[in-house]
Structure formats: structure tokens, C-alpha cells
Amino acid sequence: MTGELSPIDKAKFVAAKRAAEFVEDGMRVGLGTGSTAAWLVRCLGEMVREDGLKIRGVPTSTRTADLARDVGIEVISLDEAKWLDLTIDGADEFDSNLSLIKGGGGALLQEKIVATASDQMIVIADAAKEVEHLGSFPLPVEVIPFGWQTTQALIEETMVSMDVMGRQTSLRMNGDRAFVTDEGNHILDLHLGRIGNPRQMAMVLNQIPGVVENGLFIDICDQVVIGYGDGRVEVRDINAGTVSEGRVDFVEDDNLFKDI
């Protein structure tokens, strides 16, 4: 039941519930990865089961694919879809320009590919994810396993000339082993504190040999849906320059919460 959810989880839920309203019958929808995106998948699954919504989902990770199938969403590959009407995903941070840091869940490569293959990207987040400057959240960088320590050294050397507060990097771990992405790569987390020029950072990182992709999403997000623990929701559209507010009511016996 919703009464058992923390304020943060309530905020994530209302953002996901509001964003689900942008999904229309017949759409090909990119499905993000992470705790907030999981609420979105559950909301869409309910719309498929209860309202007869017909969509095809392109997941950004095996975790999301499994959840989507479990809730009744038809899952297809990006190659099958060719192009998407909409992608809805979470973010680890976003700023006033709707630039993002993503990759906390380890799926940044598929997330960026899917998002850029969409007519529109909507980010769903709780209010705590908004920052004045990106960088408090460690920036994930996906690297190939071969020579990853050399790649790490090159990244640290490059950071000396960048507008950042810190330059510490760490290999993401899964227990006592290196974390492995769906593509078989590793992730280096960059503890930068503040990124003065995210656009420059994104371009520079991707020029370093061994780097597959970075977690900076620049000029990709079109709208952000911000949820609050009291049910309030704010929608910002960067293209239209509009901000709208509303509220999502909680339903205590909602099937979405049966496994909470």
C-alpha cells in the first residue's frame, strides 16, 4: 500500500504515474532502467492490463525487459522498432538545462542509444535529483575491460585540465568482482564534485581510447516530470519553455503495490 512507501518512493511513483499519461495507443516506447523507471513500467503494465493499452516496449536493460514482460508489456528490440515515439527514463541528476547524469544503474550505454533513437525523451525524477551544477553524483563512464587501468589513468590525466572540483576515479564493483554491464564492459565512476562544462566533458571523455560511452546526456531530454512526496507533480518542457503543476492521487488498494 502507498502508506508503506517512503516519501522518496511516493515522489518516484507520482512522477512515473504522470509520465505514463504521455504514452498513447500504438506507441513504440523506450523503457528506462532504475528504481523510478521501474515504477513507470509497472504503471504502463497496469494500463495494458486494465485499459487495453497497446504498446511495444524497448527496454534499456535485461532487468527492465524482465519486469516489462512480467507486467504484460510486449517487448521488442530496438532493431525491430527501428525508431521510437517516446523514451521515459530516470536520472541520477538533472540541471536547469535538462542536462543529465545517468548510469547509476549501470545501463547508460543502452539508455543513451535508446533515448537518442526517440522522437522525445521524458525524464522522471524526485525533486532531490535537481542540482545547480552536475557532478555531485559520480559520473559513470563505460570502458572496455581490456586495458581498463590504462583508460582510467588517461581519464585522470585528462581531468587535470577540466573544470572540475575533484579527479578521483574508481572501478565499480559487484561484491568482490568488477561490475559488468549488459555489453560485458566495466564502469569507472568519476568523483568530480562539480562539472563546470558538461558539454565539453562529454566530448572529451569519448575521445579517450577504451571509453565506450559516458553518462552525460546533453541535448537529449525534452521534458522532466518531477514528483514530490505529497503527490504534487511538476512538468517542465525545455522546448516549449513551459512549466505545469498538478497532483497525482494515491489509491491505497492499487495493484501496483501488491509486492511492496
Side-chain angles (χ1 to χ4, degrees), residues 119-151:
D119 286 337
Q120 184 178 192
M121 182 195 189
I122 297 175
V123 160
I124 48 179
D126 59 88
K129 300 295 172 57
E130 183 173 12
V131 295
E132 184 175 355
H133 299 285
L134 298 178
S136 293
F137 190 91
L139 174 62
V141 178
E142 187 159 341
V143 300
I144 66 170
F146 175 80
W148 71 264
Q149 290 177 309
T150 299
T151 304

Side-chain angles (χ1 to χ4, degrees), residues 24-26 44-55 72:
E24 300 176 0
D25 214 44
L44 292 178
E46 184 181 52
M47 293 166 67
V48 168
R49 297 189 307 271
E50 303 295 329
D51 305 326
L53 178 70
K54 291 181 174 58
I55 60 171

Side-chain angles (χ1 to χ4, degrees), residues 138 148 152 156 168-172 187-191:
W148 71 264
Q152 181 180 31
E156 291 175 347
Q168 180 185 356
T169 66
S170 59
L171 178 68
R172 187 176 299 184
I187 288 183
L188 295 173
D189 288 310
L190 280 53
H191 306 270

Side-chain angles (χ1 to χ4, degrees), residues 181-214:
T181 69
D182 281 353
E183 291 75 33
N185 297 317
H186 295 329
I187 288 183
L188 295 173
D189 288 310
L190 280 53
H191 306 270
L192 306 175
R194 181 185 64 84
I195 302 172
N197 190 332
R199 188 183 305 276
Q200 180 190 41
M201 176 71 70
M203 292 189 295
V204 167
L205 283 171
N206 281 7
Q207 296 302 310
I208 297 175
V211 170
V212 180
E213 188 53 83
N214 69 83

Side-chain angles (χ1 to χ4, degrees), residues 28 56-59 75-84 110 113-114 117:
R28 294 158 295 179
R56 290 179 291 171
V58 174
V75 171
I76 61 173
S77 70
L78 183 57
D79 288 334
E80 291 175 287
K82 302 274 191 288
W83 194 260
L84 304 177
Q110 287 191 23
I113 292 171
V114 168

Side-chain angles (χ1 to χ4, degrees), residues 68-98:
R69 292 188 183 98
D70 286 345
V71 300
I73 297 173
E74 180 186 353
V75 171
I76 61 173
S77 70
L78 183 57
D79 288 334
E80 291 175 287
K82 302 274 191 288
W83 194 260
L84 304 177
D85 300 288
L86 173 66
T87 288
I88 305 178
D89 203 348
D92 298 302
E93 284 185 347
F94 69 92
D95 65 14
S96 59
N97 296 316
L98 301 196

